[in-house]
Amino acid sequence: ATGSMEAAADGEKAGNGRNGHAEGSAVAERGGGGRLRCCQGFLRRNALVLLTVSGVVAGVALGAAVRGAALGPAQVSYLAFPGELLLRMLRMVILPLVVCSLVSGAASLDTRSLGRLGGIALAYFLGTTLLASGLAVALGFIVRPGAGASALNAPGLGLPGAVPTSKETVDSFLDLVRNLFPENLVAAAFQTYATEYKMLLRNTTSGNVTWEKIPVGTEIEGMNILGLVLFALVLGVALKKLGQEGEDLIHFFNSFNEATMVLVSWIMWYVPIGIMFLVGSKIVEMEDIVLLVTSLGKYIFASILGHFIHGGIILPLIYFASTRQNPYRFLLGLITPLATAFATCSSSATLPSMIKCIEENNGVDKRISRFILPIGATVNMDGAAIFQCMAAVFIAQLNNVNLNPGQIFTILVTATASSVGAAGVPAGGVLTIAIILEAIGLPTNDLSLILAVDWIVDRTTTVVNVEGDAIGAGILNYLNEKANRDKEQELKEVSVEAVANSRSEGETSPLVTQKNQVSNPISPADPESKESVL
């Protein structure tokens, strides 16, 4: 009996061991399957980000591989064709996206919130642009990018010597105000007002002949985004004021906006292919990159360093100080629009992907993102302010001009103001540098050197531009949510106090006590007494 009991015990242990082994293997299989599902979910969620970054890397490799083939201009244009399609698609949706998002955003916010958020956004845009301008001037004096570079010339670098026509500072700001009020909204979709000059020959009374420069207004090709932004904002506020009569038109713009965002989501899947060919063709176009970098290396280094400090340190610090949240986790959800900005060099072309990613990945309220981001893409140009101030200091040092405090102040103010009107297109900031140079009395013929390296510096410029817009939208979204929570808390406290007061009044009311005391002796057959009590 004892032997059989021991055998049974051994069999039970063996069975438990087999069961434990089977359970352990099942747990291991479940753990492996869980890890596999996690990896698949991560890849599915971040597929577009990974494809976009891979497109940038593949574009660099493609450009480096094709450079040795000595392609002609026609072959380079064929290589850039897929990237050109991306730019055309993104520019196609800019007009409906800006107008519809601003109309629906302004109409969805009440007047008080609109004024408060608009004031905060304006203060943020001006403050960050001034910080960027000051940082660029300080770095320019520390790094001294123009020292020892006076022997440079654009033809020696194999670059075109085309320089933008200089314009009077007063006329530049008058054009900015004129473009805020376009005389034809349809023409504003593809034309912008600009001042040109006509030389008029005049004979004086003494017989001398003089030439007089007279400003003449013309329409040049390019979307008047400032005028469209202002009109859309005012139209949204007007529809809100109409009340019930304006609801149908508000619903129309909301539906148009959502349909445009669906188009954007489809276009985003073509972004990796377009970016690869944009970057590759731009690398192939440059004739001698080594000579360019060695000649203007200090200027390139100083500009990119300024963009890195402002975009990697100052803007995240502002976000953290305002929200007490991790800014880099916020920026991690914006890798796709930042990579798009790096490849396209256009804040306007990056706007569709920025709106999509900031809403889906970072949870920013649609009313905030579609109200602030189109305005920011037009008026907030932190990267452009760094680029312009650094270029002004570089050209001053190139001409051995020591800037005095008055000229430095003029650079800061002019760069901050002119960055508002800078076009959100590739090389748009170069045109505004001429305004700064005219304001401080420096020659504009050295702008060809800035054009020589613009294709490099403009990429980090655009990244900082769109990052500043996104950080501003995140801060405004946090402040708006906080204001809503405070308002809800106040309403709860008021309702609790109202309930408490009603209870206390009911308990101490003499009518209630009288009813309790008198209603007992009344019988149903005595209606007069019952009526008097009631």
Side-chain angles (χ1 to χ4, degrees):
T2 304
S4 62
M5 290 174 62
E6 290 176 356
D10 292 339
E12 185 177 354
K13 288 179 182 178
N16 290 339
R18 284 192 297 272
N19 292 336
H21 179 70
E23 290 175 1
S25 61
V27 169
E29 289 177 1
R30 285 197 298 271
R35 284 192 294 271
L36 181 62
R37 282 193 296 273
C38 287
C39 291
Q40 290 175 347
F42 174 80
L43 292 175
R44 194 179 298 112
R45 287 191 306 272
N46 299 284
L48 189 58
V49 175
L50 296 174
L51 288 173
T52 306
V53 175
S54 302
V56 175
V57 176
V60 174
L62 176 66
V66 177
R67 270 186 69 83
L71 298 181
Q75 286 82 11
V76 173
S77 66
Y78 298 152
L79 181 64
F81 177 72
E84 182 187 352
L85 286 183
L86 173 64
L87 285 175
R88 294 177 73 89
M89 286 190 288
L90 289 173
R91 288 169 181 160
M92 174 185 67
V93 297
I94 287 173
L95 179 62
L97 188 65
V98 168
V99 174
C100 297
S101 62
L102 280 174
V103 170
S104 59
S108 62
L109 295 169
D110 59 278
T111 309
R112 183 178 302 175
S113 298
L114 190 66
R116 185 175 61 86
L117 291 175
I120 295 173
L122 184 63
Y124 168 80
F125 291 158
L126 288 177
T128 54
T129 307
L130 271 175
L131 277 175
S133 302
L135 172 67
V137 172
L139 278 177
F141 282 106
I142 293 171
V143 178
R144 296 188 60 80
S150 57
L152 292 175
N153 55 56
L157 296 173
L159 295 156
V163 177
T165 305
S166 61
K167 190 191 294 187
E168 298 291 336
T169 307
V170 176
D171 290 328
S172 299
F173 288 109
L174 289 179
D175 286 350
L176 186 66
V177 177
R178 289 188 187 104
N179 283 319
L180 282 172
F181 305 97
E183 59 184 9
N184 189 333
L185 279 175
V186 178
F190 54 87
Q191 283 184 342
T192 305
Y193 184 92
T195 298
E196 292 183 353
Y197 298 99
K198 184 172 68 173
M199 303 303 293
L200 191 63
L201 184 63
R202 289 190 181 275
N203 292 322
T204 59
T205 55
S206 59
N208 295 327
V209 177
T210 59
W211 289 94
E212 185 178 355
K213 187 166 71 171
I214 298 177
V216 178
T218 58
E219 300 287 341
I220 62 173
E221 185 179 352
M223 187 187 301
N224 181 8
I225 195 76
L226 279 176
L228 294 174
V229 163
L230 183 63
F231 172 78
L233 280 175
V234 176
L235 179 62
V237 174
L239 290 175
K240 182 74 173 177
K241 288 288 185 183
L242 281 178
Q244 192 65 32
E245 295 179 2
E247 287 296 326
D248 292 338
L249 201 51
I250 292 174
H251 288 317
F252 166 76
F253 280 110
N254 286 335
S255 301
F256 203 156
N257 196 13
E258 294 299 330
T260 307
M261 291 307 298
V262 172
L263 292 177
V264 170
S265 65
W266 293 344
I267 294 173
M268 292 305 297
W269 289 104
Y270 181 72
V271 165
I273 300 173
I275 281 180
M276 180 177 72
F277 286 96
L278 275 176
V279 175
S281 62
K282 186 57 68 173
I283 290 176
V284 173
E285 280 179 8
M286 294 309 297
E287 294 186 5
D288 196 342
I289 299 178
V290 177
L291 176 63
L292 186 67
V293 172
T294 52
S295 302
L296 296 170
K298 289 180 71 176
Y299 169 71
I300 298 171
F301 168 75
S303 299
I304 295 178
L305 179 63
H307 292 146
F308 176 78
I309 293 174
H310 188 75
I313 299 173
I314 295 177
L315 288 177
L317 279 177
I318 293 173
Y319 181 84
F320 176 75
S322 303
T323 64
R324 295 295 188 273
Q325 296 174 1
N326 187 349
Y328 299 105
R329 185 178 300 168
F330 180 85
L331 293 175
L332 197 61
L334 304 175
I335 291 179
T336 299
L338 294 180
T340 305
F342 181 83
T344 61
C345 298
S346 174
S347 302
S348 301
T350 311
L351 180 62
S353 62
M354 177 60 77
I355 292 178
K356 180 178 182 294
C357 291
I358 203 170
E359 290 173 1
E360 295 181 359
N361 299 342
N362 293 335
V364 173
D365 191 349
K366 290 182 179 180
R367 296 174 301 172
I368 302 294
S369 63
R370 300 181 187 188
F371 170 67
I372 293 299
L373 289 177
I375 300 176
T378 309
V379 302
N380 185 37
M381 300 283 180
D382 295 353
I386 293 174
F387 166 65
Q388 292 161 13
C389 290
M390 187 66 70
V393 175
F394 167 73
I395 291 175
Q397 293 172 355
L398 199 65
N399 290 277
N400 297 317
V401 175
N402 293 321
L403 297 173
N404 56 44
Q407 289 174 314
I408 294 173
F409 179 77
T410 304
I411 289 174
L412 294 177
V413 174
T414 311
T416 303
S418 61
S419 65
V420 173
V425 297
V430 176
L431 303 176
T432 58
I433 298 176
I435 303 173
I436 302 174
L437 296 179
E438 289 285 343
I440 60 176
L442 287 176
T444 59
N445 54 355
D446 290 325
L447 273 179
S448 54
L449 294 172
I450 306 300
L451 284 169
V453 295
D454 180 67
W455 72 277
I456 301 175
V457 179
D458 200 20
R459 300 184 184 280
T460 54
T461 297
T462 311
V463 170
V464 175
N465 285 343
V466 300
E467 181 192 352
D469 302 339
I471 293 288
I475 292 172
L476 286 174
N477 182 65
Y478 172 81
L479 296 177
N480 188 53
E481 289 180 350
K482 184 180 178 183
N484 291 337
R485 285 196 300 267
D486 294 343
K487 191 181 296 183
E488 290 176 2
Q489 187 65 27
E490 289 177 4
L491 291 175
K492 287 181 182 178
E493 291 175 358
V494 170
S495 62
V496 168
E497 290 176 2
V499 170
N501 291 335
S502 65
R503 286 179 179 173
S504 60
E505 290 175 3
E507 291 169 358
T508 58
S509 175
L511 294 176
V512 175
T513 54
Q514 182 183 1
K515 179 180 182 296
N516 292 335
Q517 293 172 358
V518 178
S519 60
N520 289 331
I522 297 175
S523 62
D526 193 359
E528 294 182 0
S529 301
K530 185 174 182 179
E531 186 176 342
S532 65
V533 170
L534 290 173

